[in-house]
Amino acid sequence: METAAAGARRPPALRLLCPKKSVLSSPFPSLLWLVGSPRFLHPVTVAAALRCLRFLSDDGPFSPDLPHEADEIRGLLVRGFDIVGGLFLGSANFESDAGRALELAGELRERLFGERASHGMVGGCVDASTGDIRFLVSESEGSEVVEGQEVLWGDEPGRSLLEKGCLLRCELQLQLPLYLPSDETMSGIEARFSSLIESAAANLRGPHVSYLVEGPTATFDESHHSVILHGNNLNSVSQLPINPNTNKCSAKIVSCSEFLPTKRHDLSSIRENADAIQITVLSNQSFNISKAASPVPMLKYFPAPAPASLRVIDLKLDILCYSSMDLPVTVAVSELVIPGLADQLSIMKKAIVSELLTQQPQLCPYHLVPPGLLIPLTAIYDTRYGEIEEKQSELRRNLHFRLGLPLDRPLLRTSNALTFGAMERRDRSSSKSGSSLLRDVHKEIPSSGVSGGIMSLIDGSYEYYHYLHDGIDDNGWGCAYRSLQTIMSWYRLQQYSSINVPSHREIQQVLVEIGDKDPSFIGSREWIGAIELSFVLDKLLGGGVLAYTLLGVDYNEASGDCAFLILDPHYTGADDLKKIVNGGWCAWKKSVDSKGRSFFLKDKFYNLLLPQRPNMV
């Protein structure tokens, strides 16, 4: 392998936006595919790493099954992102292993896009004994391969992606008629279906198709911008310079930034509040090429071979693309959106072809940005299977392995998918959390006061339910109900359950249904305790006179000093975070305070309910 000679030009700096721990979290040995966006970001920038899962032999990472890897990653990657390199974890020889990783990444990229990469590629390895990461860099196909001397880990990686780029989304529902002659062989049926899909992909640039490009739902202080692009004008679009002196209304020079609000969402909120330019596919069946100025209705008849049966193939396409803000929208639609739709058609064809004569898969794409990942990915689920069924669980488990996600929490369920548009966001917020209550109020409180203790805190978000919320006067009797609602909100916000947080009456109804209470209990103001709460949790998911929610413990084993982080549901005021914190409604409580008073009373009996995090994806 050639290396840079002394005094040669320094290679470009390698920028890694993904956290270093996400790269090193995979087990040794492993092969990671490095993902970037060389067209829109710095040429050698890594935004994410995907673990290789398919191998040909016992050589493991050194012999990946590239055809299967390409098929799976093609469905995951959002258009605008690209394979920019490979990384071996657990290497013994830097130069040979890094070179092999670079070679494999180039081959995978060629399988994904049908051509060798014209942009820079990297190959790297992590030393098995020291954990050091080193890279080889090739600035373009056939160029000299040199060692990357400078590796930059991004401080605010999300900002780079969102400041420079934007998302485009296109949904398209198709009903494709497939005629099946009674004497047709299976190979003939598959050929007919393939031809049908290829024709649908080709028609995306046809004269009968137009694309309506709109920004996210406009707010009262922002204008709504839209243009229409015609499919037959998108066949030979190239990078068009943006001339500020030219009329902005020309679709050819309108940049993507024209469609987006001036105030953009940050990375922490994009998982629930995604802004995307909306692309709607329009079909103009009355378009006449010879007389485009005066189109007339046209009736077409396609005789089917007889005898034959008809199968209507229902397809729901939903793609996401990543583009730079200054890219002309015409180029974005031509070079990102249309190829993205064609890719998804091809992916769905492979999933459907084996079941053409049986029950058709109900494929539905979902866009996700799981925690720890900076780029959106697309997962295509078969909605015939419920989310808890083994086949669907196994698919998500494989995705967790590929993305380096924990296997004990549901991060890739349909309820985790991105939502788009202001109206959808309001609906999602309402259905996801059940209310507009304060979240995670303990984050604003002072320290516990325990010196040298080991602090253990609640993992994940919850909502604060307390007396008098939702117009229900439960002052004096509803504290356990409120604690249960807070617990239920945790399960919902962590996506373990999609059911709404139950009301007091619904909690009572559950207790009656399981035989714990008489029917007269419904609508009463009777107290419940930790035992009843466990019954309700067990039914809906799979004491003393007062109820509290325990959020954390700070304990010094040597001194015995201990404090409990308590969320008190007895609060009756407005959802004012400052008032809640200053009033001690969410606060650290010492087991014995400075005046010798015990928080837990010695003459009272306490039931402790300890709901556990489910071990599931």
Side-chain angles (χ1 to χ4, degrees), residues 178-253:
L178 178 63
Y179 291 98
L180 305 175
S182 58
D183 59 349
E184 187 74 273
T185 63
M186 190 59 200
S187 60
I189 292 174
E190 291 178 0
R192 283 179 178 272
F193 180 55
S194 295
S195 177
L196 192 64
I197 294 295
E198 291 166 7
S199 176
N203 287 337
L204 293 172
R205 295 184 188 272
H208 298 289
V209 175
S210 297
Y211 296 87
L212 172 62
V213 184
E214 301 176 286
T217 304
T219 59
F220 69 94
D221 59 343
E222 290 177 334
S223 61
H224 189 74
H225 196 76
S226 64
V227 298
I228 292 181
L229 308 174
H230 299 290
N232 58 328
N233 294 330
L234 296 172
N235 291 319
S236 57
V237 173
S238 59
Q239 286 275 11
L240 297 168
I242 299 176
N243 185 348
N245 299 318
T246 309
N247 182 3
K248 286 187 176 182
C249 293
S250 171
K252 290 186 177 181
I253 53 90

Side-chain angles (χ1 to χ4, degrees), residues 331-394:
V331 179
V333 172
S334 177
E335 301 185 6
L336 298 175
V337 174
I338 293 178
L341 290 171
D343 267 352
Q344 201 165 89
L345 274 171
S346 177
I347 293 164
M348 289 188 173
K349 179 189 74 174
K350 292 183 179 181
I352 293 173
V353 69
S354 62
E355 300 188 64
L356 277 175
L357 299 180
T358 57
Q359 184 184 11
Q360 180 187 335
Q362 298 172 15
L363 304 178
C364 187
Y366 295 92
H367 310 298
L368 304 130
V369 185
L373 203 69
L374 301 177
I375 68 172
L377 297 172
T378 301
I380 302 178
Y381 293 145
D382 188 343
T383 56
R384 289 180 300 173
Y385 306 108
E387 290 201 303
I388 62 173
E389 288 194 29
E390 183 61 30
K391 191 165 185 177
Q392 193 78 303
S393 297
E394 187 60 29

Side-chain angles (χ1 to χ4, degrees), residues 272-273 419 422-437 439 463 465 492-493 498-501:
E272 291 185 19
N273 304 325
T419 53
M423 184 61 69
E424 259 189 289
R425 283 200 291 272
R426 286 195 293 271
D427 293 342
R428 173 68 171 269
S429 176
S430 175
S431 63
K432 186 173 182 178
S433 62
S435 68
S436 56
L437 287 165
R439 289 189 189 181
E463 290 178 318
Y465 283 81
R492 184 171 179 81
L493 291 174
S498 59
I499 66 171
N500 291 323
V501 173

Side-chain angles (χ1 to χ4, degrees), residues 36-40 77-82 113 320-323 336:
S37 184
R39 180 170 179 176
F40 304 126
L77 272 189
V78 165
R79 273 278 173 169
F81 289 104
D82 202 341
F113 299 103
L320 208 60
C321 301
Y322 176 76
S323 168
L336 298 175

